[in-house]
Amino acid sequence: MLSYPLSANAELRALEPWNAAEFAEFIERERDHLGPWLPWALRLTDEESTRAWLQSYADDQAGGGGRIYGIWMDGELVGGTLFRVFEPRFGSAEIGVWLGEAAQGRGLITSAAKRMIEWCIEDRKMNRIEWRCVPTNKRSIAVAMRLGMSRDGVLRGAFPLDGVNHDVEVWSLLASEWRAKTGQD
Ligand SMILES: CC(C)(COP(=O)(O)OP(=O)(O)OC[C@H]1O[C@@H](n2cnc3c(N)ncnc32)[C@H](O)[C@@H]1OP(=O)(O)O)[C@@H](O)C(=O)NCCC(=O)NCCS
């Protein structure tokens, strides 16, 4: 996948170490918007730390594990997605997502996540796609619901962020549910 179209003017493609300067600028612009939900948005404060983080995903991907993508709209980096966990041995993967404030409300993440789920299930024969978020993240929960996920439960105090141990909601979609939803059964 060099590039996957999400809309007439937006695309999903690999976010790689050579994109570090662009990604660091994006984080700097959006830190107040992303920081309440994503620990890396507080931790990555310059090009060097951002490149190291992207390199860790590149290394993971080379080993068959997690991977990270960017979303570009009209040529500008406006968001991204990742497989934070990617475990073919167990048939499961976890998707994470983010958008700059102004790029919200266009369905970009729903369409990117659908493509990622389709790839996991159809190409990689995964059985379970997971989505984790804090209970107060209503926009994230709305995406999980839009994707047809079910709420498995809550991991109490499992997510330390900015000095607070937040609860984490776990949502998931199974391959059988995806196939029933897309009419492939
Ligand atoms: C979570 C987050 C990615 C959700 O972004 P989002 O824009 O709400 O999600 P989508 O891109 O799927 O867009 C859905 C919205 O676009 C609208 N939309 C327009 N066209 C659409 C389409 N073709 N398909 C689906 N939705 C569409 C939907 O109605 C919805 O709008 P609404 O919220 O006003 O009802 C974003 O709020 C974010 O980055 N937050 C900060 C970081 C974060 O919390 N990350 C997740 C941590 S768990």
Side-chain angles (χ1 to χ4, degrees):
M1 178 179 74
L2 284 182
S3 167
Y4 179 79
L6 298 175
S7 70
N9 62 343
E11 59 174 349
L12 181 74
R13 59 182 152 92
L15 184 61
E16 299 179 341
W18 66 270
N19 301 120
E22 194 180 6
F23 189 36
E25 279 167 26
F26 166 79
I27 297 168
E28 188 62 37
R29 273 198 312 275
E30 301 291 343
R31 201 178 317 279
D32 289 349
H33 167 63
L34 302 178
W37 318 107
L38 300 165
W40 54 259
L42 300 177
R43 211 174 55 237
L44 306 180
T45 50
D46 55 23
E47 188 178 333
E48 195 185 342
S49 54
T50 303
R51 181 175 293 103
W53 195 64
L54 292 179
Q55 187 63 52
S56 74
Y57 270 96
D59 294 345
D60 246 23
Q61 174 162 356
R67 49 205 71 200
I68 187 165
Y69 304 97
I71 294 174
W72 281 263
M73 192 167 67
D74 294 323
E76 184 190 350
L77 183 62
V78 296
T81 65
L82 51 73
F83 287 113
R84 195 183 71 87
V85 175
F86 192 82
E87 290 275 12
R89 278 183 313 156
F90 302 119
S92 69
E94 180 197 327
I95 293 178
V97 299
W98 61 92
L99 278 178
E101 202 165 358
Q104 296 177 121
R106 299 158 199 260
L108 293 176
I109 288 297
T110 300
S111 115
K114 275 186 186 162
R115 174 64 191 128
M116 292 167 80
I117 292 169
E118 181 185 46
W119 181 72
C120 275
I121 292 175
E122 303 306 337
D123 296 350
R124 303 302 304 271
K125 312 299 177 204
M126 296 275 203
N127 179 54
R128 175 185 163 86
I129 314 302
E130 211 168 273
W131 187 276
R132 295 183 174 215
C133 56
V134 297
T136 48
N137 197 338
K138 301 301 176 204
R139 290 196 86 107
S140 181
I141 290 171
V143 179
M145 293 174 77
R146 215 177 283 119
L147 293 170
M149 292 187 158
S150 299
R151 185 173 172 276
D152 292 341
V154 176
L155 302 175
R156 294 177 304 140
F159 184 51
L161 178 68
D162 218 10
V164 180
N165 291 313
H166 297 270
D167 290 350
V168 176
E169 289 197 5
V170 181
W171 290 70
S172 67
L173 181 71
L174 302 181
S176 54
E177 295 164 345
W178 170 260
R179 294 209 170 93
K181 197 171 140 62
T182 53
Q184 292 175 50
D185 260 353

